[in-house]
Coordinates of all heavy atoms in Angstrom, one line a residue:
S14 N 9.7 -21.3 -8.3 CA 10.7 -20.6 -8.9 C 10.6 -20.7 -10.4 O 11.0 -19.7 -11.1 CB 12.0 -20.8 -8.3 OG 12.2 -20.3 -7.0
G16 N 7.7 -21.6 -12.1 CA 6.3 -21.6 -12.4 C 5.5 -22.7 -11.9 O 4.3 -22.7 -12.0
Q20 N -1.1 -21.4 -9.8 CA -2.3 -21.7 -10.5 C -2.9 -20.6 -11.3 O -3.6 -20.8 -12.3 CB -3.4 -22.0 -9.4 CG -3.0 -23.2 -8.5 CD -2.9 -24.4 -9.4 OE1 -3.7 -24.7 -10.2 NE2 -1.8 -25.2 -9.2
R26 N 2.5 -16.8 -16.4 CA 3.1 -16.2 -17.5 C 4.2 -15.2 -17.1 O 5.1 -15.2 -17.8 CB 1.9 -15.4 -18.3 CG 2.4 -14.8 -19.5 CD 1.2 -14.2 -20.4 NE 1.8 -13.2 -21.4 CZ 1.5 -12.0 -21.2 NH1 0.9 -11.5 -20.3 NH2 2.2 -11.1 -22.0
T29 N 7.3 -17.4 -16.1 CA 8.0 -18.1 -17.2 C 8.4 -17.2 -18.3 O 9.5 -17.4 -19.0 CB 7.0 -19.1 -17.8 OG1 5.9 -18.5 -18.2 CG2 6.7 -20.2 -16.7
V32 N 10.3 -13.4 -15.6 CA 11.5 -13.7 -14.5 C 12.4 -14.7 -15.1 O 13.6 -14.6 -15.0 CB 10.8 -14.1 -13.2 CG1 11.8 -14.6 -12.2 CG2 9.9 -13.0 -12.6
R37 N 17.5 -13.3 -25.6 CA 18.1 -12.0 -25.5 C 17.0 -10.9 -25.9 O 16.3 -11.2 -26.8 CB 19.3 -11.9 -26.4 CG 20.5 -12.6 -25.9 CD 21.7 -12.3 -26.6 NE 22.1 -10.9 -26.7 CZ 22.9 -10.3 -25.6 NH1 23.0 -11.0 -24.5 NH2 23.2 -9.0 -25.8
Y38 N 17.2 -9.7 -25.3 CA 16.3 -8.8 -25.6 C 17.3 -7.7 -26.3 O 18.5 -7.6 -26.2 CB 15.7 -8.0 -24.3 CG 14.4 -8.7 -23.9 CD1 14.4 -9.9 -23.3 CD2 13.2 -8.0 -24.1 CE1 13.3 -10.5 -22.9 CE2 12.1 -8.6 -23.5 CZ 12.0 -9.8 -23.0 OH 10.9 -10.3 -22.6
Y41 N 19.9 -5.5 -24.0 CA 20.9 -6.3 -23.2 C 22.3 -5.8 -23.5 O 23.1 -5.8 -22.6 CB 20.8 -7.8 -23.4 CG 19.7 -8.5 -22.7 CD1 18.7 -7.8 -22.0 CD2 19.6 -9.8 -22.7 CE1 17.7 -8.4 -21.3 CE2 18.5 -10.6 -22.1 CZ 17.7 -9.7 -21.4 OH 16.7 -10.4 -20.6
T46 N 27.2 -3.4 -21.0 CA 28.3 -2.3 -20.9 C 28.3 -1.4 -19.6 O 29.2 -0.9 -19.2 CB 28.4 -1.4 -22.2 OG1 27.1 -0.8 -22.4 CG2 28.7 -2.3 -23.4
C48 N 26.7 -2.2 -16.6 CA 26.7 -2.9 -15.3 C 28.0 -3.7 -15.2 O 28.4 -4.4 -16.1 CB 25.5 -3.7 -15.1 SG 24.0 -2.8 -15.2
R51 N 27.9 -9.4 -11.9 CA 26.9 -10.5 -12.5 C 25.5 -10.3 -12.0 O 24.5 -10.3 -12.7 CB 27.3 -11.8 -12.2 CG 26.5 -12.9 -12.6 CD 27.1 -14.4 -12.3 NE 26.2 -15.4 -12.7 CZ 25.2 -15.9 -12.0 NH1 25.0 -15.4 -10.7 NH2 24.4 -16.8 -12.5
Q57 N 19.2 -5.9 -13.6 CA 18.9 -4.8 -14.6 C 18.2 -5.4 -15.9 O 17.3 -4.8 -16.3 CB 20.2 -4.0 -15.1 CG 20.7 -3.2 -14.0 CD 19.9 -2.1 -13.5 OE1 19.1 -1.5 -14.3 NE2 19.9 -1.7 -12.2
R62 N 13.0 -6.4 -18.7 CA 11.8 -7.4 -19.1 C 10.6 -6.9 -18.4 O 9.5 -7.0 -19.0 CB 12.2 -8.8 -18.8 CG 13.4 -9.2 -19.5 CD 13.5 -10.8 -19.4 NE 13.8 -11.3 -18.0 CZ 15.0 -11.5 -17.5 NH1 16.1 -11.2 -18.1 NH2 15.0 -11.9 -16.3
R64 N 9.6 -4.0 -17.5 CA 9.2 -2.8 -18.2 C 8.7 -3.1 -19.5 O 7.5 -2.5 -19.8 CB 10.5 -1.9 -18.3 CG 10.1 -0.6 -19.1 CD 9.2 0.2 -18.1 NE 8.8 1.5 -18.7 CZ 7.5 1.6 -19.1 NH1 6.5 0.8 -18.8 NH2 7.1 2.8 -19.8
T71 N 3.5 2.3 -15.9 CA 4.5 2.8 -15.3 C 5.2 1.7 -14.5 O 4.5 1.0 -13.8 CB 4.1 3.9 -14.3 OG1 3.5 4.9 -15.1 CG2 5.3 4.6 -13.7
D79 N 13.2 4.2 2.2 CA 12.7 5.5 1.8 C 11.4 5.9 2.5 O 11.1 7.1 2.6 CB 12.6 5.7 0.2 CG 13.9 5.7 -0.4 OD1 15.0 5.8 0.4 OD2 13.9 5.4 -1.6
E82 N 6.3 7.7 2.3 CA 6.1 8.9 1.3 C 6.5 8.3 -0.1 O 5.9 8.6 -1.1 CB 6.8 10.1 1.6 CG 6.5 11.2 0.7 CD 7.3 12.5 1.4 OE1 7.2 12.8 2.5 OE2 7.8 13.2 0.4
C90 N 2.0 7.2 -8.9 CA 2.6 7.4 -10.2 C 2.3 6.1 -11.1 O 2.0 6.2 -12.2 CB 4.2 7.5 -10.1 SG 5.1 7.6 -11.5
T92 N 0.1 3.5 -12.4 CA -1.4 3.3 -12.5 C -1.8 2.0 -12.2 O -1.0 1.1 -11.6 CB -1.9 3.5 -14.0 OG1 -1.1 2.6 -14.7 CG2 -1.5 5.0 -14.4
K106 N 15.5 -6.2 10.2 CA 14.2 -6.7 10.7 C 13.0 -5.7 10.4 O 12.0 -6.0 10.1 CB 14.5 -6.9 12.2 CG 13.2 -7.5 12.9 CD 13.2 -9.0 12.6 CE 12.1 -9.6 13.5 NZ 11.7 -10.9 13.0
W112 N 7.9 -4.7 4.9 CA 7.5 -5.4 3.7 C 6.2 -6.1 3.9 O 5.3 -6.2 3.1 CB 8.7 -6.3 3.2 CG 8.3 -7.4 2.3 CD1 8.4 -8.7 2.3 CD2 7.6 -7.2 1.1 NE1 7.9 -9.4 1.3 CE2 7.4 -8.4 0.4 CE3 7.2 -6.1 0.2 CZ2 6.8 -8.6 -0.9 CZ3 6.6 -6.3 -1.0 CH2 6.4 -7.5 -1.5
T124 N 2.1 -9.9 -5.5 CA 3.4 -9.5 -5.2 C 4.3 -10.8 -5.4 O 3.8 -12.0 -5.3 CB 3.6 -9.2 -3.7 OG1 3.2 -10.2 -2.8 CG2 2.8 -7.9 -3.4
Y128 N 13.5 -12.4 -2.6 CA 14.4 -12.3 -1.4 C 15.0 -11.0 -1.2 O 14.6 -10.4 -0.1 CB 15.4 -13.4 -1.5 CG 16.2 -13.6 -0.2 CD1 15.4 -14.3 0.8 CD2 17.3 -13.0 0.1 CE1 16.0 -14.4 2.1 CE2 17.9 -13.1 1.4 CZ 17.2 -13.9 2.3 OH 17.8 -14.0 3.6
S129 N 15.8 -10.4 -2.0 CA 16.3 -9.2 -1.7 C 15.6 -7.9 -2.3 O 15.7 -6.9 -1.9 CB 17.8 -9.0 -2.3 OG 17.7 -9.2 -3.7
V132 N 8.5 -7.5 -6.4 CA 7.7 -6.8 -7.5 C 6.2 -6.8 -7.0 O 5.7 -7.8 -6.8 CB 7.9 -7.5 -8.8 CG1 7.3 -6.8 -10.0 CG2 9.4 -7.7 -9.2

Side-chain angles (χ1 to χ4, degrees):
S14 288
Q20 300 299 315
R26 182 173 161 249
T29 57
V32 177
R37 284 193 65 78
Y38 275 70
Y41 279 7
T46 59
C48 302
R51 180 180 174 268
Q57 291 298 324
R62 292 190 304 265
R64 180 68 188 111
T71 307
D79 290 343
E82 186 175 316
C90 179
T92 60
K106 186 78 169 164
W112 168 235
T124 60
Y128 196 76
S129 60
V132 181

